[in-house]
Amino acid sequence: MKKNIVVVASIIIAFGAIIGLAKACAPKSDVSQEAVSTQKIAKQKKKKNKTKHKNTKADSDILRPYKDPKDLRKAGTWNKKSETKKHPKIRPTEKDLTLRVSLEGNRTYLLRKGKVIYTMLSTGGIYKKGKSLTQTGTYTIQAGRGDSFFNYNLNEGANNWTSWSPDNVYLFHSVPTKGDGSYNMKEAAKLGRTQGSHGCIRLSVPDSKWLMDNIPDGTKVVIKDH
């Protein structure tokens, strides 16, 4: 009897050991593997997105239709003219001028007979779902101009505005001002560096004043993403 009990006990212990070994050697469940895989993919995507959205100087250069002049001031310079040289002289009756805006390049160029004669640091509309708040296309400078404005809905204003839309909604103007008339330093720092407006084209204070005072009505304005 004792012998039978010992045999049965040995069989049970052996069977338990086999089950234990089977569990120890079993692969992780599909759910566990899927969780690990998902974490890996998420990390890879995050790393990829970080690389993708990193804006290098080389990338910015590609987005611009013209090479930056050597005397162009650094991005973020909002209280001086963009180039160290004098603003070009413009005749009130000139018909061969074009203002060319590169939204992603953060530049505005003045061309005479197709040749760039002055480059300005600028900031256009924010991109939402791949589209800028600044309308692209071909327009003309309108008669609408002014020293300043303030939009109470946006709690933002600007100085030295020049319209390029018949209803005076879309403008060239200075970097933004606050309710007390002072310039918004956080937004001013974006000039020539990235997008930030609600649709208008921001320029440095001296550039916006020069444009308002000198650019003839009817001047062609070409706005493109690049």
Side-chain angles (χ1 to χ4, degrees), residues 78-104:
W78 60 272
N79 56 351
K80 296 178 181 178
K81 60 185 186 295
S82 295
E83 289 194 56
T84 57
K85 70 182 183 183
K86 291 181 179 180
H87 285 120
K89 290 183 179 179
I90 298 174
R91 298 185 305 278
T93 56
E94 280 198 66
K95 302 293 182 184
D96 53 5
L97 299 173
T98 302
L99 281 164
R100 167 72 162 88
V101 179
S102 171
L103 296 174
E104 290 184 308

Side-chain angles (χ1 to χ4, degrees), residues 2-3 33 51-52 57 85 87 114 118 121 129 147 152 158 174-175 190 193 202 204 210 224-225:
K2 277 184 180 181
K3 191 176 181 181
Q33 285 189 350
T51 307
K52 186 179 177 182
K57 187 178 183 298
K85 70 182 183 183
H87 285 120
Y118 194 75
L121 302 173
K129 295 181 179 179
D147 293 329
Y152 288 94
S174 72
V175 292
K190 296 177 181 178
R193 184 174 285 121
R202 299 173 180 173
S204 73
W210 169 73
K224 296 184 179 182
D225 289 310

Side-chain angles (χ1 to χ4, degrees), residues 53-78:
H53 289 99
K54 191 176 180 182
N55 191 15
T56 64
K57 187 178 183 298
D59 292 335
S60 297
D61 289 344
I62 292 169
L63 296 173
R64 295 175 189 135
Y66 307 103
K67 189 176 179 181
D68 282 347
K70 291 181 180 180
D71 69 335
L72 188 73
R73 299 186 197 273
K74 65 180 181 179
T77 304
W78 60 272

Side-chain angles (χ1 to χ4, degrees), residues 28-210:
K28 292 178 181 178
S29 68
D30 291 342
V31 175
S32 299
Q33 285 189 350
E34 187 177 332
V36 171
S37 299
T38 304
Q39 286 175 0
K40 272 187 176 181
I41 291 167
K43 282 182 181 178
Q44 287 171 352
K45 279 186 176 178
K46 193 174 181 182
K47 191 175 180 183
K48 189 178 178 182
N49 286 340
K50 261 188 176 180
T51 307
K52 186 179 177 182
H53 289 99
K54 191 176 180 182
N55 191 15
T56 64
K57 187 178 183 298
D59 292 335
S60 297
D61 289 344
I62 292 169
L63 296 173
R64 295 175 189 135
Y66 307 103
K67 189 176 179 181
D68 282 347
K70 291 181 180 180
D71 69 335
L72 188 73
R73 299 186 197 273
K74 65 180 181 179
T77 304
W78 60 272
N79 56 351
K80 296 178 181 178
K81 60 185 186 295
S82 295
E83 289 194 56
T84 57
K85 70 182 183 183
K86 291 181 179 180
H87 285 120
K89 290 183 179 179
I90 298 174
R91 298 185 305 278
T93 56
E94 280 198 66
K95 302 293 182 184
D96 53 5
L97 299 173
T98 302
L99 281 164
R100 167 72 162 88
V101 179
S102 171
L103 296 174
E104 290 184 308
N106 305 299
R107 297 286 185 273
T108 295
Y109 309 91
L110 178 64
L111 291 81
R112 177 180 281 141
K113 295 182 179 178
K115 183 180 178 181
V116 177
I117 59 171
Y118 194 75
T119 300
M120 293 176 274
L121 302 173
S122 62
T123 291
I126 297 167
Y127 276 81
K128 291 187 176 181
K129 295 181 179 179
K131 188 176 181 181
S132 173
L133 294 182
T134 301
Q135 296 181 352
T136 55
T138 302
Y139 308 90
T140 55
I141 291 294
Q142 306 294 310
R145 301 167 196 241
D147 293 329
S148 65
F149 72 89
F150 191 82
N151 187 323
Y152 288 94
N153 293 325
L154 300 175
N155 195 32
E156 185 176 274
N159 295 326
N160 313 322
W161 61 271
T162 304
S163 175
W164 47 271
S165 67
D167 49 7
N168 292 338
V169 171
Y170 294 100
L171 318 167
F172 287 104
H173 59 63
S174 72
V175 292
T177 55
K178 299 178 182 179
D180 61 2
S182 64
Y183 288 106
N184 185 328
M185 295 294 100
K186 184 179 177 181
E187 290 299 313
K190 296 177 181 178
L191 190 70
R193 184 174 285 121
T194 188
Q195 298 80 43
S197 82
H198 299 92
C200 293
I201 305 298
R202 299 173 180 173
L203 304 171
S204 73
V205 176
D207 286 345
S208 62
K209 178 72 165 63
W210 169 73

